[in-house]
Amino acid sequence: MRIITELARILIICLFASLSRECIAADGPRQRSILVLEEADFRSPFYSEIFAGIRAAAKQNGRSHTVIYGESLDLARFPGPHYEESLVGHLKTKYAQRPIDVIVSIGVTSAKFLQTRKQEIWPAAPVVYGFVPDLPETRALFLPDTTAVFARVKPTHLLTAARAIVPDLTRVVLVGDAWKNPLVYGHWKQDFAAAMPGLEVIDLSDAVLREVRKQVATLPARSAILTSAMYSDGEGTYYSPASALARVAESANRPIIITSDTFLGQSGVGGFLLLPDIIGREAGEVAMRILDGEAPSSITPTGGDNVKPIFDWRQLKHWNVDEANLPQGSEVRFREQSFWEQYRWQLMTLASVVLVQALLITILLRERRLRSLAEVEARQRMSELAHMNRRATAGEMSASIAHELSQPLAAILINAESAQLVLQNPTPDLGELRNILDHIRCDDQRAAQVIDRLRSFLKRHPTERRELDLNATVGEVFRFLSVQALTHDVGLATEPSSADIRVKGDKVQLQQAILNLVVNGMDAVAHLPDGRRRVVGRTGFADGNQALVSIADAGDGILAENVTEIFEPFFTTKTQGMGIGLSIARTIIEAHGGRIWAENAPSGGAVFHISLPLVSPR
Ligand code: ADP
């Protein structure tokens, strides 16, 4: 029965726990409490960061709810026994019904206050001292049942930072009233003398702010300003340390060494800086250990990891400081990013785009090169094919060539025989002999011309473009074929334009293209009766900038469906045909920037047209 009652009790507690955490405090075991006793104003950046650090440490240790109270003693700004007395009375009343499980005392002033007044207000609470330097004088303040996490910027730290910024340092200027507090900076004079004998020290820790500003404005080179927090100046005016420092910095002509990271970025160049957030966390963690049951006396006071060399990059640049000279492990803040750091992604994207583009261009250039190589090869093939085509044409024409040669040869023979007869005369007629010899020479020249023409037609030579007259070129082709036409009884006629037709091209190639058309025309009329076997070549102009050559015959014409096909390689309707004549003609004409096409004339027969760009448009 007792067990059932106990179970019911636990169930009810759990139900309450899920309903409200507040209920735990009221009905469950008493919540744990920490009192943070800060020596200065909570609202100053430094002390508020310490408080935030303590709160973070308590939150991290979430085993049970911990309430954190905070009090600012503010004894530096409100000195005197009356205030202290009333403060004690106030705190006694305030915490009469609020038991404190652990006090976190921040700063030397707090430690001093607790030394004399704790017994009256919180007699049983253990204490964790935070933000106190590890000096015999401060340890002497510690009460029994306490522990500590030390935090301190040593005077030599300031000197080390100053020497990093001003390597040839000979003089330091002390600014800030904390220099006067032996519980904070201890015996800086001895420390400086030991670290740097001969160092000149100008102590302005007692001077009024106005005087400090005046003095720091005209400091000689090789000096640095070492600041501690300034809460009040020699006249008893109170400042927030950050604003006091900012005013000093306004007029200072030498670099300022500072002691807290809450000052960095506002005035100082940097130095070994107190990290208030860490100071709070470290003290808070020790407080939580005590709340979790450890005896304060069993936790040895230790130095924290709460001071770090940190510098302002902009100030380093201003004072021309080489970062290599900074103390080991220094952190540099407010570094302006280089163009590369700032736009790294954009630059990398741009670089990739450029790279891809370059790659594409390379591929395209390669393609172009391959294509032009292929074109060169194709042209070479065409040239070889054209050469074969010419040889075949010449072979077909061998009979007519022989016939053409036989005429001057026969004439030479007759003339030679006539000369012999003249010479049989005892008084040969020299005038007639001269005449005969002239004829022989002329006939020989005619024969030589036939051979020359044939040779140049058959010669394999590279393409060479020259300005030429199309009338002359067409005329030569017709003359070349005249004997063959005679043999086949085909009438060849040309109707040249009245004006010269100047085009730029390879004469032999153009002649070949035209010759293929004329030969086809002769083939087309071969079966026709006498009088209709006729091929006509005309030249003229079209569109103002084109030369036009038309070869017309009176044959059967071209089947409509073959009008374009006939230009394809190996298309032939002839039993002995090769089907390359027109495809070669088209290749040649297109290589000259021209066009070739065929149509049927209304009067019957086929007409092949060639257009070529004129050298100078009309
Ligand atoms: P081939 O003469 O060896 O056949 P071509 O390429 O010169 O090769 O001509 C191809 C074809 O075009 C011819 O077989 C013929 O059918 C047609 N052709 C060419 N010229 C004429 C023309 N003047 N009249 C009618 N058809 C023609």
Side-chain angles (χ1 to χ4, degrees):
M1 189 62 195
R2 255 193 79 200
I3 295 171
I4 293 170
T5 322
E6 191 58 25
L7 268 174
R9 202 174 74 85
I10 292 168
L11 263 173
I12 289 164
I13 289 171
C14 289
L15 191 66
F16 269 86
S18 64
L19 284 173
S20 160
R21 285 193 75 169
E22 297 299 318
C23 296
I24 296 175
D27 302 339
R30 186 175 66 78
Q31 66 183 350
R32 310 180 317 170
S33 62
I34 296 176
L35 170 66
V36 180
L37 207 59
E38 299 235 37
E39 63 178 353
D41 188 358
F42 263 121
R43 283 155 297 192
S44 74
F46 187 82
Y47 289 96
S48 79
E49 272 194 39
I50 290 182
F51 190 81
I54 296 169
R55 194 194 291 279
K59 203 169 175 192
Q60 221 166 23
N61 177 317
R63 255 175 270 169
S64 71
H65 183 63
T66 304
V67 66
I68 303 175
Y69 304 112
E71 297 294 339
S72 290
L73 296 177
D74 220 353
L75 291 168
R77 286 194 293 182
F78 301 92
H82 297 307
Y83 165 66
E84 190 178 310
E85 220 39 64
S86 72
L87 183 64
V88 170
H90 164 72
L91 293 173
K92 269 165 82 175
T93 317
K94 188 172 174 182
Y95 291 94
Q97 301 305 317
R98 301 280 161 137
I100 298 299
D101 293 316
V102 59
I103 297 172
V104 177
S105 158
I106 298 300
V108 175
T109 317
S110 272
K112 267 170 90 177
F113 175 79
L114 286 175
Q115 189 190 28
T116 52
R117 312 310 297 252
K118 175 174 172 284
Q119 193 56 33
E120 297 167 54
I121 319 168
W122 304 285
V127 180
V128 178
Y129 296 104
F131 188 42
V132 281
D134 187 6
L135 291 169
E137 290 90 336
T138 48
R139 277 181 182 259
L141 301 173
F142 295 171
L143 293 163
D145 201 23
T146 61
T147 186
V149 185
F150 298 111
R152 183 191 188 202
V153 178
K154 295 180 192 156
T156 47
H157 274 145
L158 284 125
L159 207 53
T160 307
R163 290 171 87 174
I165 306 303
V166 185
D168 55 356
L169 184 82
T170 57
R171 184 181 303 98
V172 291
V173 182
L174 307 187
V175 171
D177 53 331
W179 283 108
K180 293 183 293 186
N181 188 346
L183 292 175
V184 178
Y185 282 103
H187 312 284
W188 60 259
K189 275 188 190 141
Q190 294 91 310
D191 291 349
F192 282 0
M196 224 182 136
L199 176 76
E200 187 190 331
V201 181
I202 302 171
D203 183 3
L204 299 180
S205 57
D206 245 343
V208 294
L209 185 57
R210 207 172 39 254
E211 185 58 24
V212 172
R213 276 162 59 84
K214 208 165 118 193
Q215 294 247 15
V216 296
T218 54
L219 292 174
R222 302 172 71 182
S223 48
I225 301 159
L226 311 186
T227 60
S228 64
M230 183 192 277
Y231 285 94
S232 67
D233 66 8
E235 275 179 340
T237 311
Y238 294 99
Y239 301 100
S240 91
S243 67
L245 198 63
R247 300 214 47 210
V248 173
E250 268 167 18
S251 45
N253 71 339
R254 296 299 302 155
I256 299 175
I257 310 300
I258 52 175
T259 51
S260 163
D261 83 338
T262 49
F263 299 151
L264 195 71
Q266 298 174 33
S267 43
V269 66
F272 287 83
L273 306 187
L274 289 161
L275 307 170
D277 173 59
I278 308 281
I279 291 171
R281 269 172 194 273
E282 288 171 346
E285 277 161 15
V286 174
M288 294 312 289
R289 281 168 64 187
I290 294 169
L291 285 184
D292 287 345
E294 278 187 61
S297 50
S298 70
I299 303 172
T300 323
T302 49
D305 189 15
N306 44 36
V307 172
K308 201 179 168 199
I310 306 175
F311 295 87
D312 184 333
W313 182 83
R314 298 160 301 185
Q315 291 278 331
L316 293 180
K317 287 277 152 240
H318 177 71
W319 297 107
N320 213 9
V321 176
D322 183 355
E323 281 187 38
N325 289 343
L326 297 180
Q328 217 182 358
S330 289
E331 183 186 328
V332 177
R333 290 195 193 157
F334 308 111
R335 194 186 289 278
E336 268 169 33
Q337 285 184 323
S338 66
F339 188 73
W340 164 248
E341 286 164 338
Q342 215 171 345
Y343 298 105
R344 185 181 317 174
W345 288 113
Q346 289 90 328
L347 287 174
M348 272 167 71
T349 314
L350 196 74
S352 339
V353 168
V354 170
L355 214 73
V356 169
Q357 211 173 31
L359 202 74
L360 277 177
I361 290 170
T362 314
I363 291 171
L364 287 175
L365 284 175
R366 200 182 121 79
E367 284 289 306
R368 207 174 81 142
R369 197 180 131 68
L370 288 177
R371 209 176 50 216
S372 70
L373 277 177
E375 270 169 19
V376 168
E377 203 174 324
R379 235 177 286 143
Q380 181 98 8
R381 293 260 157 78
M382 189 275 289
S383 163
E384 275 164 21
L385 209 59
H387 183 240
M388 270 171 57
N389 175 239
R390 287 200 296 274
R391 285 177 68 153
T393 315
E396 269 177 37
M397 293 190 310
S398 56
S400 30
I401 291 163
H403 175 77
E404 204 175 350
L405 274 179
S406 70
Q407 276 184 344
L409 286 175
I412 288 168
L413 185 65
I414 290 166
N415 278 320
E417 282 169 357
S418 308
Q420 273 175 338
L421 282 176
V422 173
L423 283 173
Q424 277 172 11
N425 195 324
T427 53
D429 182 348
L430 290 179
E432 195 174 348
L433 266 179
R434 208 173 287 124
N435 205 11
I436 291 170
L437 284 173
D438 276 349
H439 277 107
I440 289 176
R441 208 185 65 233
C442 283
D443 287 331
D444 183 81
Q445 278 170 346
R446 255 176 69 201
Q449 270 173 9
V450 172
I451 290 165
D452 270 357
R453 224 166 47 218
L454 187 67
R455 192 183 287 143
S456 78
F457 187 67
L458 288 180
K459 210 163 75 182
R460 194 198 300 261
H461 59 78
T463 306
E464 84 184 341
R465 300 258 163 104
R466 291 215 179 127
E467 197 176 314
L468 50 87
D469 174 24
L470 260 187
N471 280 336
T473 311
V474 172
E476 269 177 45
V477 172
F478 273 70
R479 254 199 317 283
F480 191 58
L481 290 171
S482 58
V483 179
Q484 196 183 0
L486 212 63
T487 323
H488 292 94
D489 214 2
V490 176
L492 289 187
T494 54
E495 293 176 13
S497 68
S498 50
D500 276 3
I501 305 182
R502 311 297 301 176
V503 296
K504 205 164 182 197
D506 184 303
K507 187 174 152 193
V508 172
Q509 283 184 9
L510 290 178
Q511 277 183 341
Q512 182 178 2
I514 296 163
L515 184 134
N516 286 353
L517 301 184
V518 181
V519 169
N520 276 344
M522 283 165 49
D523 284 349
V525 296
H527 64 287
L528 297 178
D530 281 356
R532 284 189 57 199
R533 290 197 293 272
R534 204 173 132 75
V535 177
V536 183
R538 295 185 184 90
T539 55
F541 301 93
D543 299 338
N545 61 352
Q546 297 286 312
L548 202 65
V549 178
S550 306
I551 308 296
D553 62 64
D556 300 336
I558 310 151
L559 282 176
E561 66 263 31
N562 292 342
V563 164
T564 52
E565 222 178 324
I566 51 175
F567 292 98
E568 295 303 319
F570 309 114
F571 177 91
T572 182
T573 54
K574 300 173 192 168
T575 40
Q576 300 293 316
M578 282 172 68
I580 58 166
L582 287 181
S583 81
I584 285 173
R586 183 175 68 174
T587 312
I588 290 171
I589 297 305
E590 285 178 355
H592 281 74
R595 206 162 72 80
I596 182 168
W597 69 101
E599 60 184 8
N600 286 316
S603 53
V607 189
F608 283 79
H609 300 284
I610 289 172
S611 70
L612 288 166
L614 284 169
V615 171
S616 40
R618 284 150 61 84

